[in-house]
Every structure is written in C-alpha cells, then in structure tokens.
Amino acid sequence: MPYRAPVADYRFLFDHIVALPQVTGTDKFADATPDVVDAILTEAGKLCEEVLAPLQRNGDLHPAHLENGVVRTSPGFAEGYRAIADGGWVSIAASPDHGGMGLPMTVTTAVNEMMSAACLSLQLNPLMTQGQIEALEHHASPALQEIYLPKLISGEWAGTMNLTEAQAGSDVGALRTRAEPNDDDSYAITGQKIFISWADNDFTENVCHLVLARLPESIPGTKGISLFLVPKYIPDSDGNPGKVNTLNVVSLEHKMGLHGSPTAVMQYNGAQGWLIGGANDGMKCMFTMMNNARLGVGGQGIGVAEAAYQHALAYATERRQGKTSGETGAIVDHADVRRMLATMKADIFAARAIALSCAVAIDMARATGDAEWSARAALLTPITKAFGTDTGIAVSDMGVQIHGGMGFIEETGAAQFSRDVRVTAIYEGTNGIQAMDLVARKMMDGGDAAFTLLDEIEADAEAAKTTLPDLADPVWQASETLREAIEWLVAQQDLGARFAGSVPFLRGFARVLGAHYHLKAALAEPGGARERLARFYITRLLPEHKGNFDHARAGATDLMALSPEDLAA
C-alpha cells in the first residue's frame, strides 16, 4: 500500500491537543501563521508520498556499499536527498541568520516524522545535519558559523555525530581519540570511531563530522572530553571544499535493517579539526545535538509505526481468511486483528501527542526563556524518545503478525519496518538510559516539573467529568497513581532503587500521558472515531500503568539478589 502522510492528524493535534497557537502567538514564531503551517504540512506530505516513499524498498534491496574507498548510496537516494535539500526541508527550524526558515520545532517534528515513515534510511541523513546545525548555532565561533552553517542549512554539505568507539559505547567517557594543537587555531584529530550514521555519501559536496576527542593532559571521564568539527574536505579561503582531510571510511557495517543508511567505521589520522565550545566542554556541546536527535529519533519510531500500521490495515481489509462476525469478510473483522489494529492506532496517537508536546515545550522555552518550559521539555525528551521508539517496534511487530505467514516473507515489506526501526531503541542513548535519565537527572528538582504537568492533567480530567465521566475519572485516578509513584521515587536516596524500576516507570508515565491526550481528543470530537479510540485506550491500555508503577516501586533488592550464577542456572 502506498504511504499516505497523516496531515489531518497533525492539524488536529496542533489545534486541539498540543496548542501550537501558543507557540505561533509569540514574537519569535509569529511568522508561522496557520496558512504557512498548513502549506508546510501539505507540501511535506506530497514530498514524502511521491518522492521518498518509493525509495523505501530500494534502500533495503540495494544497500549502500563501499567501493574503492567511496560510499555508493542506494538507487534514487541522491535524487531523493536533492528534493529534500532543494525544498528547504533540512533547515526548517534553523536560524534565518544563515538561511534557515526559523519555524517552530513542533512543525519540524511533524515533517521529520513523515519523512521517517516514507524512507527512514534516507531521513536519517538530514536529521543528523539538523542536529549539527543546532550545535553550531549554540556553540561554534562566529567565524566557523559563517563558513559551515549556510552550507549545512542549504543541504550542500551534510553533518554527522562521532561519539562511539569500540571500548566506549554508552560509556562515552572511556573514549581515546586524541586532539593535538596545531600551530594555527586548529587541532590534529587521531582515533577511530564506530557506528557513524551517514559518515559519507556520494551526493553532497562535503561531510562535516562533530568528533569527541581528548586534549593533551585532559582529565579522565566525560569531564575531559572536547568537541571538534572535522570536515571531509577542508574549506578554502572562499569557504568552498578544498583539500581532502586525513580521514577515511574504513568499512560499512552489515546491519539487521536500515540498509540504505551507511553506518561506518571512521579513521582519523591527524585530521584537521576546529574546537567547538570551550576545552573540555564537549559533552555539554554534544548534548545540544543529542537532545535534538532524541526528539527526532522518537519521531522516527512514530513514523515507522504509522507506515507499518497503514501497511497492516490495508492487508487486513483485503485478506479473507476464516469466518468473521463482520460484514466485510476480511480479517479486519476478527476480534484479535481488530485488537491489534486498535492498539497500533491508539499508541501511535499517544506517542505522537507526547512528541509534539515535547516540541511545543522546546519552542516555548526558546521563545520566552521561561525555566518552566525548559523543565517541561527536559522531562518529556526521554519519554518521547523511549516511548516513541518502543511504539515503533511494537507496532511494526504487530504488523508482521497481522500479515501472518506473509509477514515473514520479505516481498510483502512488512518485515522491513520491524528490521529498520529496531535500532531506534538503541542509538542516541538506549531506552534504558533514557529511563535512568528520567528517574535521576530529571527528578533532581524533587519532581516539581512532573507535578506541574500532573496538576494540568488532573485539572483537565476534573473538568471533563461533567461531559465524559467514564473516561475522565480513570485518567484522574491514573494521574494520582503516577503522583504517588513520583513521591516514592524522589524519596529514594539510593539510585539503584530508582534504576531497577526505571523502564516500567517511564512506560507507566507514557501511558498516563497518552490517556490525557486521548481524553482531550474525545472532548474535541465527541461521539466520533476519536472518542471511540480514546475509550479503547483508556479502558484497555491505560490499566497497564498500575502494574508498571508497582514494578517501579519494588526497589532493587530482589532484582540484584539474582546473581550471575542464578541467571546461568
């Protein structure tokens, strides 16, 4: 089935769920009028449906490969990328100071999700560039900004992020890449990085790498890491690609999915690079890019979920097998298939609403400088990333199940969604790390940001009791259960007790948020499909929160009592 961009769903969410008008009502985003936003969504949808979606299978069947040291990309990817760049889709949220559109991150999030649904392997390229643009806007010197930002924003050049080394995965502080000062203001970067997405391509003039490395005599761990911009081609005096830098792609990984996206081992042999931010500020600078990417990766999971759902729904409405109680005679009328489809659709809506709410908080923080909005964005980022990608994995898996035996056959395309999306729960910080971040760093305020959000949820539920009491009351009760779980959590001085239940805690938090957004949807369109979907979610999926919070509050004693020998017995 051809992909169809869910533009109407974004419009509904913008108007009724996440309150985009409060963003566009600020001076910073006043140019993002309803007409402009509508045009952006419509044109992005056309790009995804007509240009990017037809490339989805090409990337899987004809992977990127290394040929005499040059990365050759999948058929049609160069043309697809050019359509993205020429349309300005790389630079939606970038500052107009260097050629960007300056539109809200909320709009960018919707566009990125559509592109992820259409062709995740290709979308990963501009997502990395967007993150690099934001990092350079915040931390690079004016001179470097003048050289690199216009080229990255136009899509003439592409950006990457180089963190991981063989001995330094999630433990970034264990990295060994070195940076030695040169006679000028540059540095010589030496070391090897692995798992570098889109480390090279054959359709942009230059590839610019943000590389974490250690200066001489830097202290061990993350506090001794600095960030450097290391281009494939060193810009000449006119800012154009000049001599080739001393770096190269060693090899490309053979992956479970995302075959169209080249993932490389990169070698730096005294490559010339420039410091971004201050010495030993590398993690602070890189987290600007990583937090951008975490929102984007959550959107990738949601996008793939949408594509997998559409694929499964089309099959379920055409496939006839066995006797059904419905009128169509297709498997969509079997109760369990209907259950899976409803779960898919309900969780996609919940995850999408969480992601867009996170983006709204980011936009409001930028527009107002309000610390409460910054705290809201920080709180929602790990939930967006983890729940969005978990939803992508679960929905694509259900898509295979709905296809039955045909789902296990590659030609149907159902399995590709599952293979492609699986890595999103791993990169940009595993979902376990997101959960640990939520229960530790994001609760350093004693839970204040979370409690403020819960106050809003409970106020909305209280108001809804006069209209939809059977839906509003369970949402209010679930919010109170979440409040109690947070109170228990912040009282734990032992982080081990928090970490042991961090993943179910995040999952339960997301369940409550999803119920809140579904209730708002039901109130906005009572008596229709959105109310019926909300009823399904609140009745059948929301109750999972209690088990999640029971797990979260169990502490670590029984878990850690299981020794490695016990696990091997």
Side-chain angles (χ1 to χ4, degrees):
M1 170 191 169
Y3 168 71
R4 291 291 175 259
V7 171
D9 210 38
Y10 298 125
R11 291 188 183 122
F12 176 81
L13 282 155
F14 286 170
D15 293 340
H16 300 289
I17 308 300
V18 302
L20 180 63
Q22 69 181 322
V23 174
T24 58
T26 65
D27 291 340
K28 184 173 181 63
F29 297 115
D31 290 340
T33 64
D35 288 347
V36 168
V37 172
D38 192 65
I40 290 286
L41 291 177
T42 301
E43 291 306 311
K46 289 180 182 177
L47 170 77
C48 293
E49 293 173 357
E50 299 172 5
V51 178
L52 303 186
L55 302 176
Q56 165 83 347
R57 291 296 284 163
N58 280 1
D60 197 50
L61 298 175
H62 308 286
H65 61 281
L66 195 60
E67 181 181 280
N68 298 323
V70 177
V71 171
R72 301 297 184 191
T73 57
S74 303
F77 272 37
E79 293 78 9
Y81 177 82
R82 186 46 48 201
I84 293 170
D86 290 349
W89 302 112
V90 178
S91 60
I92 308 175
S95 171
D97 293 343
H98 295 96
M101 293 187 191
L103 289 173
M105 180 59 68
T106 310
V107 178
T108 302
T109 299
V111 172
N112 282 345
E113 188 207 302
M114 285 190 278
M115 291 200 295
S116 300
C119 185
L120 181 58
S121 286
L122 182 55
Q123 185 270 344
L124 188 53
N125 182 297
L127 182 70
M128 291 291 95
T129 302
Q130 288 172 357
Q132 186 169 120
I133 289 169
E134 185 171 359
L136 296 183
E137 285 179 342
H138 281 81
H139 303 293
S141 68
L144 288 175
Q145 289 178 354
E146 287 299 321
I147 295 171
Y148 287 89
L149 283 176
K151 298 289 190 180
L152 292 165
I153 286 171
S154 69
E156 295 170 79
W157 297 359
T160 77
M161 177 166 53
N162 285 231
L163 288 76
T164 308
E165 299 179 10
Q167 78 292 341
S170 297
D171 182 12
V172 179
L175 67 82
R176 299 171 185 158
T177 298
R178 307 187 314 277
E180 301 284 344
N182 291 323
D183 293 335
D184 52 18
D185 63 348
S186 68
Y187 295 79
I189 313 300
T190 301
Q192 188 174 94
K193 298 289 184 176
I194 65 171
F195 299 159
I196 309 307
S197 298
W198 278 102
D200 198 11
N201 66 73
D202 54 4
F203 48 67
T204 63
E205 294 177 354
N206 206 351
V207 180
C208 308
H209 304 281
L210 282 181
V211 183
L212 290 179
R214 293 190 180 283
L215 291 166
E217 301 179 2
S218 66
I219 62 174
T222 57
K223 293 182 179 180
I225 295 174
S226 300
L227 181 65
F228 301 87
L229 180 59
V230 188
K232 176 181 178 181
Y233 296 105
I234 300 170
D236 61 21
S237 58
D238 296 321
N240 297 314
K243 68 176 183 178
V244 64
N245 212 344
T246 51
L247 55 86
N248 63 285
V249 176
V250 175
S251 62
L252 298 184
E253 304 291 355
H254 299 281
K255 301 177 296 184
M256 173 180 173
L258 282 184
H259 296 152
S261 170
T263 300
V265 175
M266 288 293 299
Q267 182 67 42
Y268 296 88
N269 297 308
Q272 190 172 15
W274 286 265
L275 183 66
I276 303 299
N280 302 320
D281 282 343
M283 290 305 295
K284 180 181 74 174
C285 299
M286 184 60 83
F287 264 108
T288 300
M289 184 174 186
M290 286 184 68
N291 283 328
N292 178 300
R294 284 171 175 171
L295 172 60
V297 171
Q300 288 182 335
I302 301 161
V304 174
E306 175 68 40
Y309 169 71
Q310 291 186 19
H311 201 72
L313 179 62
Y315 184 82
T317 55
E318 296 169 359
R319 172 70 166 164
R320 282 162 173 73
Q321 193 78 180
K323 293 182 179 180
T324 69
S325 58
E327 296 179 358
T328 70
I331 64 171
V332 70
D333 288 328
H334 286 299
D336 191 53
V337 173
R338 188 74 62 90
R339 175 194 62 82
M340 287 188 283
L341 290 167
T343 300
M344 295 160 86
K345 187 172 181 65
D347 267 348
I348 290 168
F349 180 85
R352 183 175 286 146
I354 292 170
L356 293 177
S357 293
C358 182
V360 163
I362 291 170
D363 288 330
M364 291 302 293
R366 290 175 177 171
T368 67
D370 190 320
E372 285 194 8
W373 281 116
S374 296
R376 174 73 57 88
L379 178 73
L380 291 178
T381 294
I383 302 174
T384 296
K385 195 276 183 181
F387 187 66
T389 56
D390 282 348
T391 296
I393 292 167
V395 167
S396 61
D397 183 68
M398 281 185 275
V400 172
Q401 189 72 15
I402 287 170
H403 279 76
M406 294 305 293
F408 204 66
I409 305 302
E410 287 289 354
E411 283 77 4
T412 65
Q416 184 184 345
F417 296 120
S418 187
R419 290 186 289 101
D420 284 354
V421 79
R422 186 61 187 83
V423 72
T424 61
I426 299 171
Y427 61 30
E428 303 309 332
T430 67
N431 287 0
I433 288 174
Q434 304 304 314
M436 292 167 69
D437 176 50
L438 177 63
V439 302
R441 185 179 298 274
K442 301 304 163 56
M443 295 294 164
M444 289 176 66
D445 62 354
D448 286 350
F451 292 141
T452 299
L453 179 55
L454 290 182
D455 290 342
E456 295 174 16
I457 293 172
E458 291 182 3
D460 285 352
E462 193 68 41
K465 286 181 179 180
T466 59
T467 308
L468 293 170
D470 59 330
L471 297 184
D473 189 63
V475 175
W476 191 93
Q477 293 292 346
S479 179
E480 274 297 290
T481 305
L482 172 54
R483 186 184 297 274
E484 292 167 2
I486 295 170
E487 289 170 347
W488 178 89
L489 195 74
V490 297
Q492 307 308 305
Q493 299 303 311
D494 177 11
L495 285 180
R498 298 191 191 190
F499 291 158
S502 59
V503 169
F505 175 80
L506 185 150
R507 177 80 178 178
F509 204 138
R511 274 278 169 256
V512 176
L513 288 173
H516 168 58
Y517 297 127
H518 270 290
L519 178 59
K520 292 182 74 169
L523 291 168
E525 291 187 3
R530 293 193 186 277
E531 181 184 325
R532 289 190 289 274
L533 190 66
R535 194 169 299 281
F536 172 86
Y537 184 98
I538 292 170
T539 301
R540 297 175 181 267
L541 302 184
L542 175 60
E544 294 175 8
H545 79 279
K546 186 178 184 303
N548 282 316
F549 293 143
D550 286 346
H551 187 165
R553 296 171 65 174
T557 303
D558 60 338
L559 176 66
M560 301 313 292
L562 285 164
S563 68
E565 291 76 15
D566 291 336
L567 297 175

